[in-house]
Amino acid sequence: MAFKPNIFALTLTALFVTGCSNNSMVNSDVVTTHAGAHSKSINTFSSDESSFIAGTTTPFASEAVYFVVTDRFVDGDKTNNYENQGGEHPTWQLPLEGPDGKKAYVGYMGGDLKGIVKNAEYIANMGFTAVWMTPVHDNPDYAFNGDEQITYGGAFKDGGKTGYHGYWASNFYKPDEHLVSDDLSVKEYTSQMRKLGLKSVFDIVANHGSPSFTMDEDLPGYGELYDKDGRLVADHQNLNPEQLDPENNPLHSFFHDYPDLVKLSNLDDENPAVRDYLINSYLYWISQGADAFRIDTIRHVPHAFWREASDRIRSERPDFFMFGESFDYSASNIAQHTLDKNGAISVLDFPMQKAMLSVFENPLDSDFSEMEEVLHLTHGPYKNVYDLTTFYDNHDMARMNATDEGFINAHNWLFTVRGIPVVYMGSEIGFMRGTAEHAGNRNYFGQKRIEAAKAHPIKQALTTIANVRKQTPALQRGLQVNVSLSGHQASFYRVLNTDEVQQTALVLLNKGNRPSVFNVKKFMQEGDWHEQISGERKRVEKGESLSTTVEPNGVQVWVLDEMITQPELLKAASFQMSRQ
C-alpha cells in the first residue's frame, strides 16, 4: 500500500525537530485522520496541550460484542416455538446423530429475542456493550427437501436443514415468527436492549436468499422473495440457475443464471431493483433500532454494491458502523473492503483469528511473537487496523479447542490489543469446544448453562478483563505501541491523547503456568500508575522501570491518567501514526 502521510504524526515530528516543549501550541484548526472506517475530521488541541495520539476516532471502537445465534441462545417465549410447523417437512429440533451419543441440530430449538432481553444483564455484567444476533429475517417454514442430506459433522450440504439461523431469507423486511413475540417486536427489542446498556448489531445478507433448486417438490418460501408489503417479487421456481429466463419471466430477474454457494439463490447485485430491495431493507432495520451491521459473505458481492449501500446508509447515519465477513486469511485480500472506494467497511480479522488459535490452543508450547505480524500496526493494508473486529471462533468454524487456561489467555489478549473484541455465546464456559458447525458448534446454550456459567473460571476471568476495557478508553481507542512479544510474555502500551482523554495503559500478559516477572523501562513515563485489577499503585520516577510479577495465565493493566510527555514514547507514536 502506498505511503499515506498523517498530519497528526507530522505535527508530532515537528515538535521534536523544532525542540518545542510540552506546552507548545498546535495552531492547526482542523486535521483529518484516516484512523477510522468512517472517522471524521476532528479538532486538535488549540491550547497548551500535547499532540493528538489515538488508534481510531470511530465511536463503535469503544464497544465489545457478544455474538448469539438467536435460536440457539435462550428460549424466552414458548409460544413462538411452532413445534408442529412444516407438516411432512418438520422444523423442530431435527437432531443429527453422531458417535458416542453426540448430537447436533439443524432445526429450531426455541431461542428468541425475549431470551436475549431476559439475559441482557448477564451479558452486560460480563463487560459487553453490544449484542450481534443472527439475521431476524423471515425464513421458510419447512425443512429443505433438496440437495444432499446433511449428516453429523458434514458440511456444504443443505438437505434436511431449516432456516433457524436466519440466513435463508424469504422476506428481507419481515421478522421471523420464531424470534418475535406478541409483546416484543424487533423495534421494542432494540429499545429495551439500549435501556439496558447494550447496542444491537444486526446481521445482513446481500449475495443470497434461501436454497432455491433441486427440491423434490417446490416448497413454499424456498427460492421466493417478498417485499415489505408481502408481495412476491422473485421466484426461482425450483429451477437450476442455468434454466432461469429473466428476459421473459420477471420473477427470475432478481437472480444470476449461475450458482454461487451450494443451492442458495444467487442474487443479481447488478439489477437496480435488487440493489434497491436490499439496501432499502438495511435502512428499514436501522429504523427498527440497528446500531451496526455485520455483513455476511461480503466478498461474494462486488465492491460497487457495498459502496452504494455505504453511501446511502451513511448519508442518513454518518457514524453507522459496518463490518463484513470475508472468510479469507490474507490481510491484503480482506483489507480491500475497508478502503473508501469500496465503501469503507471494516472486516472480521481472520488473520488474527488464525494466529490466536495457534497461540492459545497450545499456550504452553507457543510464542507470543506469532501475534506480532498479524497486528499490522505499521504499513498495514487496512484503512484502519484499530477498527477491525477481532475474534477467535464463531458459528461458521470449529470452536476453539482450548483448556480453560487457553480461553482465559485468549480473552486477556482479545480485550487489551487493538481492535473491537467479539466473543461467541458459550465461550465464557468453553461450550462445545473443538466442535464444528454440524458437530455441536451451534447446539442450544440455554438458561441453565447461563446460571451455571456465573461460577465458571473462564467467565469470571472474562468478566474481569472485559470490564477493565469497558472502563479504560486507552484500551478501546488507544494507539498500540509494543514493548515485547516473546515466549509467554507480552507487554505493550495503549496510548490515547485527545481533548477529552489523556491516558496510557501498560498491558502485561503472562500465558505461562508460572509467575512471570516484568521490568518495563522502555517508553516508561514517570508518574503514578494504577493497576486496574488489583488496585495496586506504583510511583515510577524518571528513568526507573515499572517492576511487577504477573500470575500464571494472568494480566495486569497499569494506567497513567496524564498527558504523554515521555520523548521516546511520543517518537514511537509519531512513527506509527505516520505509517498506519
Side-chain angles (χ1 to χ4, degrees):
M1 188 174 182
F3 172 76
K4 298 177 292 184
N6 185 309
I7 195 165
F8 295 148
L10 296 178
T11 302
L12 280 169
T13 303
L15 289 174
F16 290 106
V17 172
T18 60
C20 291
S21 70
N22 298 327
N23 294 324
S24 296
M25 181 180 294
V26 179
N27 292 318
S28 302
D29 291 326
V30 177
V31 291
T32 302
T33 177
H34 65 277
H38 48 282
S39 296
K40 302 174 290 186
S41 296
I42 60 175
N43 293 322
T44 54
F45 297 89
S46 56
S47 57
D48 293 341
E49 303 275 6
S50 84
S51 294
F52 180 98
I53 305 172
T56 180
T57 60
T58 300
F60 198 83
S62 296
E63 312 302 336
V65 183
Y66 188 74
F67 168 46
V68 300
V69 176
T70 307
D71 173 73
R72 302 305 173 83
F73 186 55
V74 170
D75 187 353
D77 181 0
K78 301 291 184 184
T79 67
N80 62 8
N81 288 351
Y82 300 98
E83 297 179 21
N84 298 318
Q85 191 178 69
E88 295 180 1
H89 306 280
T91 62
W92 182 248
Q93 296 191 348
L94 306 180
L96 303 177
E97 304 291 341
D100 303 320
K102 296 177 182 177
K103 293 182 180 181
Y105 295 84
V106 293
Y108 287 89
M109 300 291 289
D112 45 40
L113 298 182
K114 268 197 173 181
I116 301 176
V117 172
K118 287 181 177 181
N119 290 284
E121 185 177 354
Y122 166 81
I123 297 169
N125 286 346
M126 275 192 287
F128 294 99
T129 60
V131 174
W132 154 26
M133 56 182 174
T134 44
V136 299
H137 310 140
D138 193 27
N139 278 229
D141 298 335
Y142 303 83
F144 185 57
N145 69 345
D147 201 8
E148 296 179 67
Q149 184 73 24
I150 189 64
T151 57
Y152 181 90
F156 303 110
K157 298 174 184 178
D158 286 335
K161 293 163 64 175
T162 67
Y164 70 88
H165 43 65
Y167 293 102
W168 290 357
S170 56
N171 190 328
F172 280 76
Y173 294 81
K174 180 182 177 183
D176 194 274
E177 70 277 10
H178 297 87
L179 305 181
V180 294
S181 300
D182 290 341
D183 58 349
L184 188 70
S185 67
V186 173
K187 191 168 187 177
E188 289 166 338
Y189 162 83
T190 59
S191 177
Q192 289 190 31
M193 292 293 280
R194 195 170 290 113
K195 291 176 182 176
L196 294 166
L198 293 166
K199 292 183 170 63
S200 295
V201 180
F202 280 44
D203 209 322
I204 63 170
V205 187
N207 73 304
H208 70 266
S210 61
S212 300
F213 54 102
T214 71
M215 284 178 279
D216 295 335
E217 58 177 301
D218 192 355
L219 294 174
Y222 285 107
E224 301 170 2
L225 283 176
Y226 294 83
D227 68 11
K228 60 183 175 60
D229 298 315
R231 294 175 299 207
L232 181 68
V233 294
D235 190 349
H236 219 278
Q237 297 177 326
N238 201 22
L239 297 171
N240 290 339
E242 297 83 359
Q243 296 177 296
L244 296 173
D245 184 14
E247 291 187 6
N248 297 303
N249 188 338
L251 291 177
H252 294 175
S253 66
F254 266 43
F255 309 113
H256 284 299
D257 59 2
Y258 54 87
D260 184 16
L261 296 173
V262 281
K263 302 302 185 288
L264 300 172
S265 58
N266 188 7
L267 298 180
D268 183 2
D269 54 88
E270 296 177 359
N271 182 341
V274 174
R275 294 201 298 271
D276 277 345
Y277 176 89
L278 291 170
I279 297 171
N280 286 338
S281 78
Y282 308 153
L283 293 170
Y284 170 74
W285 292 117
I286 291 174
S287 77
Q288 300 305 295
D291 295 294
F293 285 150
R294 179 266 189 182
I295 300 171
D296 186 59
T297 54
I298 190 173
R299 67 175 178 161
H300 289 260
V301 176
H303 294 306
F305 175 92
W306 294 116
R307 176 61 186 265
E308 180 180 342
S310 174
D311 287 348
R312 289 181 58 183
I313 289 168
R314 289 176 179 150
S315 68
E316 297 188 17
R317 294 279 297 276
D319 287 330
F320 196 82
F321 186 75
M322 295 179 278
F323 61 101
E325 175 227 18
S326 183
F327 206 130
D328 190 324
Y329 292 110
S330 167
S332 296
N333 289 346
I334 67 175
Q336 297 304 308
H337 301 286
T338 70
L339 306 181
D340 285 334
K341 65 180 181 180
N342 297 329
I345 295 169
S346 189
V347 288
L348 286 156
D349 191 350
F350 276 88
M352 183 183 282
Q353 183 268 333
K354 183 177 181 181
M356 286 188 70
L357 291 190
S358 177
V359 171
F360 298 115
E361 284 190 331
N362 302 286
L364 295 179
D365 299 318
S366 63
D367 194 308
F368 261 128
S369 63
E370 295 181 49
M371 304 303 303
E372 192 151 15
E373 183 177 352
V374 298
L375 287 171
H376 291 287
L377 300 180
T378 62
H379 300 89
Y382 304 99
K383 179 176 181 179
N384 192 310
V385 73
Y386 292 85
D387 290 339
L388 301 185
T389 43
T390 51
F391 70 112
Y392 52 78
D393 66 21
N394 62 27
H395 60 321
D396 287 329
M397 57 178 62
R399 283 184 179 263
M400 185 166 70
N401 192 17
T403 62
D404 287 3
E405 292 75 21
F407 277 94
I408 289 169
N409 285 308
H411 293 147
N412 288 342
W413 170 266
L414 195 67
F415 283 83
T416 55
V417 296
R418 62 95 180 128
I420 305 167
V422 179
V423 175
Y424 182 25
M425 67 178 196
S427 290
E428 65 268 32
I429 62 169
F431 180 59
M432 300 304 296
R433 63 189 89 191
T435 60
E437 176 185 348
H438 296 114
N441 172 300
R442 302 185 187 181
N443 279 5
Y444 182 72
F445 193 45
Q447 195 66 47
K448 290 183 179 179
R449 288 191 179 91
I450 286 178
E451 297 306 319
K454 295 172 184 178
H456 199 285
I458 299 177
K459 192 262 183 185
Q460 290 175 339
L462 168 61
T463 298
T464 296
I465 193 59
N467 276 289
V468 169
R469 184 186 188 274
K470 187 176 183 178
Q471 298 159 12
T472 310
L475 293 183
Q476 301 164 13
R477 305 185 303 279
L479 191 78
Q480 179 168 339
V481 180
N482 289 340
V483 176
S484 176
L485 277 71
S486 179
H488 294 326
Q489 290 190 348
S491 53
F492 51 87
Y493 293 92
R494 299 293 304 277
V495 184
L496 188 62
N497 259 17
T498 69
D499 280 318
E500 295 79 21
V501 181
Q502 295 85 50
Q503 184 178 79
T504 298
L506 171 64
V507 177
L508 306 176
L509 299 168
N510 173 23
K511 65 180 181 65
N513 59 0
R514 297 179 180 179
S516 189
V517 176
F518 287 79
N519 292 292
V520 181
K521 187 173 184 180
K522 188 176 183 179
F523 305 137
M524 178 54 59
Q525 178 167 316
E526 63 179 311
D528 295 311
W529 291 80
H530 182 201
E531 208 284 305
Q532 300 301 292
I533 299 172
S534 66
E536 183 180 358
R537 296 180 181 271
K538 285 182 182 287
R539 173 69 190 179
V540 179
E541 301 297 340
K542 186 174 183 180
E544 290 185 345
S545 301
L546 189 151
S547 299
T548 187
T549 299
V550 180
E551 294 301 308
N553 309 298
V555 57
Q556 292 183 9
V557 179
W558 292 88
V559 169
L560 178 68
D561 286 309
E562 294 180 13
M563 191 167 53
I564 294 302
T565 58
Q566 212 279 348
E568 292 304 313
L569 182 54
L570 283 171
K571 187 176 181 180
S574 169
F575 177 87
Q576 289 190 200
M577 291 192 72
S578 67
R579 290 163 176 80
Q580 273 186 212

